[in-house]
Every structure is written in C-alpha cells, then in structure tokens.
Amino acid sequence: MDVAALRQSWAQFCVAGPEAAKYFYATLFVIAPEARTMFPTNMQYQQDKLLSALGHIITHVDDERELTAFAQRLGADHRRFRGEDQQGRPVPLAEWHYIWVGQALLATLERFLGPRWTPALRAEWAAAYELVARLMLTGAAEAERTSPPYWEAEVQWVQRRRADVCVFTVRPNYLCEYLPGQSLPVQVPQLRMWRYLSPANAPRADGTIEFHVRAAGRFSTHLVRKLREGDQLLLGLPVGAALSSYDRSQLPLLLVAGGTGLAPLRAVAEALQQGPGRATTLVVGGKTPDDLYDDRALRELAATPPAGAWRSGAGGGWLRYVPTVESGWQWQGEVGTAGQTAVRLGPWRDTEVLVCGSPEMTRETITALTVSGVPPERILVESYDQSLYPPLASAAAAAPRDFSWTGVR
Ligand code: HEM
C-alpha cells in the first residue's frame, strides 16, 4: 500500500474543511436515502467526525497493530448504530452499509482532489478503506460474543439537585462493565442522539449506574427537564483511558473537579474506598456553594473507611474532601477556584493528579498545578471535546498524531 500517497492526498483533501463533510453526507444520503435516519436530524454535532476519523485511520494504515486494535474497537462500538430493513425493523450494520460509506468517501475525494485523483490513487484509497471496513466488521462480529450491541437501561430514580442539575440512576438490562473514570455513550431514544456521560459510581454488585448532568445543550436539557423514573435509555461500550489509569501507581492522589466533571472522579474515589484506600485529596470547586450539588454524598464517602486495611502514616483519614467556592455568604470553607485551592493545599510534587471539569476549568487547573511544580506527565485529563481526530481543516496543517483511545470520549 502506498501510504505516502494516501497521506499526501489526505492532507490536500483536508484543506476543503467542513465543505467536504457536507458533500460526503449529501452523497451518502443520495446513494442510500435509508441511511439518513441513522444519523441525527441535526448534523451540526456529527460534523466531520466520521469522515475525519476515516481519513486519519487510513493514513495510519501502515501501523498494523494500532490499526487493528482501533478499527476493531470502533466496529464493536458501531454495533449501537442500527440500519433498517425494508419493513423499517432495526438491523445491525452489515457489509452493504460499509459499501455505501466507501462509495461516498471515494466520490468526495474525487470531487475535492480534482485532477490529483488518478486511477492509481483511487485504487489505493479503495484498498485501504476495504481493509478498515473489514477490520470494523470483524471487530463487531467478535464483540457479539462478549457484549450486547448496546444496553437498555431503565431509569430507577431522578433527583433534581438544582434547576439545571440532575442526578439519576439507571439499571441496565445486562451487567455493563466499565472502569471508574470511563464514560459511556448514552442515547435518549426520542432524541436519536448519543452523548457521553461518566458514571459517578464505582461498578456496583446490582449493576446500577449513577449519572450527573447539567443542562447545557439539547440532550442534557432534555435529561434535566424531562427524565422520569421508568424511562428507557440506551448505553454503548465504555470509552476513555486517561482517568481510569490512576491505579497504576501508589502515589498519593489529588482529584480536582469542577461542576459535573465530579462524576468520574467520584467513581474513582468510590473504587478506592472499596479497596485498601490510598491517600487521596478531592477538591471540588463551584462558583457559589449552590454549585456543590453532591456535597452530602462526598462527605459520607470521606467518612467511610476503606473496605480493605488502611494504614495512614499520619493517622488521618484516607480521603480528604475539600469543597471550595469563588464566593458565598457566610461560607466557612476554602475560597477560590478548584485549581487555586488545589495549589494552596500543595505541594503536590510526588502526587498523581486527575482533573475533570469544563475546558476552561481544566486548562486553568493544569496551568496552576504545573506552574506550582507538578510534572505535567503526572496530570491525567480526559479530552471531552468529542473530536478523536483533528477536524478536516486543521488536519491539513497538523502533524500526524498517534491515535488511541487515550483521552477520548
Ligand atoms: C470505516 C468506516 C467508518 C468509520 C471510520 C467511522 C467512524 C465513526 C466515528 C469516529 C464516529 C463518532 C463516534 C462517536 O462520537 O462516538 C461515527 C459515528 C457514527 N457512524 Fe461511523 N464510521 C464508519 C462507518 C460507518 C458506517 C458504514 C455507518 C452506517 C452507514 C456509520 C454510521 C455512524 C453513525 C450513525 C454514527 C453516529 C452519528 C451520531 O449520532 O452523531 N459509520 N463513525
């Protein structure tokens, strides 16, 4: 396979940016109008995710081990997307779905590469695409043996903790295994859109999962305003490797959370409590005390001794919970953003740090901690921007990156 030709033509193609993505979907829906219902009504969010992923994978087609692992995982995950048969009944993705996407891809490349699209280049792209598609199909077939395509999960209880924040628990129809710190794709069937949410609890014997949601877009606003006990949601395969990799070291742990970014960090803290414990500080920031929507549960967790034998050199508890707010009437606790307070409680040089919150909070916290001397490689952060790959326009300029599930959700 001429990987250099694939890479060069992909870089030239990416200059077209979002226009190429629009053309790709328009072509796909002309080739296969029945594919339209598989994608969200509003394609703004999907943007060029599928297309940029495809190009990125294909241009890394020479790294066989990574390619196989990644494409098979993506194929397994794609089992949550269903086609329809002639009677409108859901069917799993099959070879013909991949052929539609392949045809739309080649037509889009042809349209935007113009005279640079030669028969030889076409043959390269077709062969590389077929390799990836086959790996995805194999990944899907193999995953059938170990996990359902998706889980149906019934909402057990819903609590509105603030006008814009809700906490709810679901019970999946089969045990849904995930690592504390990971996220799950979640679908509200009426909305036909998937979004990632992080379980806020360590895996439980009864399989129930708690989620925390703040109303920000259509999906989260629907959950906060409309979710009721008994509603059904769908869950996909868990993703994310950064926040779940905390247990590789035994260094003290600093968890810094903002808003509902608390969820995966609470799951991590709960998992530690179920073991022998580990010296852990959990800093949870809000603008005002009202933002500390999970305060009671966190105080209870901090007061619960680890299930395993906990040996604290200093004789203290295993979890130090530190709520902090930027301002608040008669507030007795720490004042400042989560990042500022975390730095004040330091130094954290021999500590592993997990940060989760809004992009601004995450940026600010990482900067504050690194300036205070925490080595950047000790700070674990999951990327929640939904972009596995550089968007088309910037991919043209970006140097080739490694791809893996690290930092992905
Ligand atoms: C080699 C081929 C393919 C690649 C690399 C690919 C890649 C991707 C990626 C990266 C996403 C975003 C996943 C996420 O946000 O969680 C995605 C979503 C999706 N893909 Fe694929 N895909 C491929 C083939 C297909 C095929 C054949 C179909 C069906 C015709 C399909 C249907 C979908 C749908 C329905 C979504 C979700 C859209 C949404 O709800 O936002 N994909 N794909």
Side-chain angles (χ1 to χ4, degrees), residues 310-318:
W310 164 246
R311 302 255 179 283
S312 161
W318 72 284

Side-chain angles (χ1 to χ4, degrees), residues 17-222:
E19 278 311 302
K22 276 192 205 140
Y23 187 90
F24 169 79
Y25 284 109
T27 311
L28 177 63
F29 300 148
V30 168
I31 294 171
E34 54 277 55
R36 183 64 191 92
T37 53
M38 300 176 67
F39 290 85
T41 322
N42 181 350
M43 292 292 288
Q44 200 192 348
Y45 178 80
Q46 171 72 8
Q47 292 170 339
D48 54 14
K49 261 195 293 182
L50 193 162
L51 191 56
S52 52
L54 199 47
H56 194 78
I57 294 169
I58 285 178
T59 50
H60 287 74
V61 76
D62 51 342
D63 186 345
E64 195 188 327
R65 203 179 54 82
E66 272 285 357
L67 174 78
T68 305
F70 184 81
Q72 290 193 336
R73 172 68 179 67
L74 192 59
D77 180 55
H78 265 59
R79 291 177 304 144
R80 68 187 151 102
F81 307 132
R82 313 298 263 182
E84 279 182 2
D85 69 8
Q86 307 226 315
Q87 282 73 45
R89 287 175 304 215
V91 290
L93 288 193
E95 204 173 282
W96 77 82
H97 295 107
Y98 282 87
I99 292 171
W100 297 340
V101 166
Q103 286 173 342
L105 171 71
L106 296 184
T108 309
L109 288 163
E110 181 176 5
R111 160 80 176 74
F112 288 92
L113 286 174
R116 288 166 295 199
W117 186 243
T118 60
L121 189 58
R122 186 184 193 286
E124 290 294 337
W125 273 93
Y129 174 79
E130 187 177 336
L131 174 67
V132 173
R134 292 212 175 281
L135 285 171
M136 285 179 69
L137 283 162
T138 318
E142 279 176 10
E144 278 303 298
R145 287 194 254 129
T146 52
S147 66
Y150 49 79
W151 286 259
E152 287 167 18
E154 185 178 312
V155 177
Q156 301 281 294
W157 57 259
V158 186
Q159 272 183 1
R160 272 147 194 113
R161 299 263 173 101
R162 279 179 13 172
D164 64 342
V165 174
C166 85
V167 170
F168 65 93
T169 297
V170 299
R171 183 190 294 276
N173 53 348
Y174 304 101
L175 184 67
C176 176
E177 289 181 333
Y178 62 90
L179 299 172
Q182 284 193 309
S183 304
L184 303 172
V186 178
Q187 191 193 56
V188 179
Q190 306 91 293
L191 297 187
R192 266 189 28 219
M193 51 165 87
W194 292 87
R195 293 289 182 274
Y196 288 90
L197 296 178
S198 305
N201 60 288
R204 293 172 180 158
D206 69 358
T208 56
I209 303 176
E210 179 178 315
F211 292 112
H212 298 175
V213 180
R214 190 176 71 81
R218 189 161 160 242
F219 177 86
S220 51
T221 303
H222 177 97

